[in-house]
Amino acid sequence: MAFWLMKSEPDVFSWDDLVAKGATGEPWDGVRNYQARNNMRAMKLGERAFFYHSRGSAPAVVGISEVIAEAHPDPTTEDPRWECVDVRAQAPFPRAVTLAEIKAEPRLAEMVLVRNSRLSVQPVREEEWRLVCEMGGARP
DNA sequence: GCCAACGTTGGC
DNA sequence: GCCAACGTTGGC
């Protein structure tokens, strides 16, 4: 069981937008980066991902989403190279965990979020997952 | 709004 | 296959 982190600009598609989609969820389309696509290809049904708000006033992990459809062609392009998974909101973080808090935690220094801030879909280690959940008061 | 870091493109 | 130029992302 792997863990993931997916970024979204809250002005474009926020956690609340995903919550509003309910059980139907949302295709995570528009990704045009090979590493991010490869990560989506590796996602399995039922695996979970942090929902991260980038470019907001305070970039932060704000919720947990769940994969409800494995990789399939991205409906927003004819280009067969690009694929997406579908996700739905599973649970909000009682307290958002900001990037500043993550950077201040030495045990999270190896997170992809810290080391390669530009990758929009990234793996999270199990111990990192548990720690971030704990920091946000979320059930891991 | 600025700018550093990174990924992609395209000429050679 | 190299690398400069360019575009995009995202923190601040």
Side-chain angles (χ1 to χ4, degrees):
Chain A
M1 196 65 146
F3 298 96
W4 308 95
L5 181 147
M6 300 166 105
K7 293 188 207 175
S8 188
E9 294 187 36
D11 292 348
V12 179
F13 189 82
S14 70
W15 170 256
D16 288 341
D17 293 330
L18 186 61
V19 170
K21 299 282 180 180
T24 313
E26 177 78 358
W28 205 258
D29 53 29
V31 172
R32 300 291 182 268
N33 171 285
Y34 291 108
Q35 251 184 295
R37 181 208 60 189
N38 292 345
N39 287 333
M40 286 198 289
R41 280 182 175 170
M43 289 183 185
K44 298 273 187 288
L45 208 61
E47 287 185 341
R48 291 177 298 153
F50 288 140
F51 192 103
Y52 177 84
H53 279 167
S54 66
R55 278 180 155 265
S57 47
V61 175
V62 295
I64 294 174
S65 58
E66 180 189 0
V67 177
I68 56 169
E70 294 184 6
H72 58 86
D74 185 328
T76 64
T77 177
E78 296 292 301
D79 192 330
R81 289 179 298 171
W82 305 119
E83 298 174 19
C84 64
V85 297
D86 295 359
V87 295
R88 69 167 179 85
Q90 188 193 63
F93 264 52
R95 281 178 282 112
V97 177
T98 65
L99 180 62
E101 292 174 83
I102 288 170
K103 283 184 166 174
E105 171 51 69
R107 286 173 289 172
L108 298 175
E110 297 301 312
M111 272 191 87
V112 180
L113 189 67
V114 175
R115 312 208 86 192
N116 179 6
S117 63
R118 303 236 351 230
L119 186 60
S120 65
V121 180
Q122 51 183 259
V124 174
R125 293 180 184 153
E126 189 175 353
E127 56 274 24
E128 296 165 344
W129 179 272
R130 275 193 257 113
L131 184 50
V132 173
C133 284
E134 191 183 311
M135 290 162 73
R139 194 174 307 178

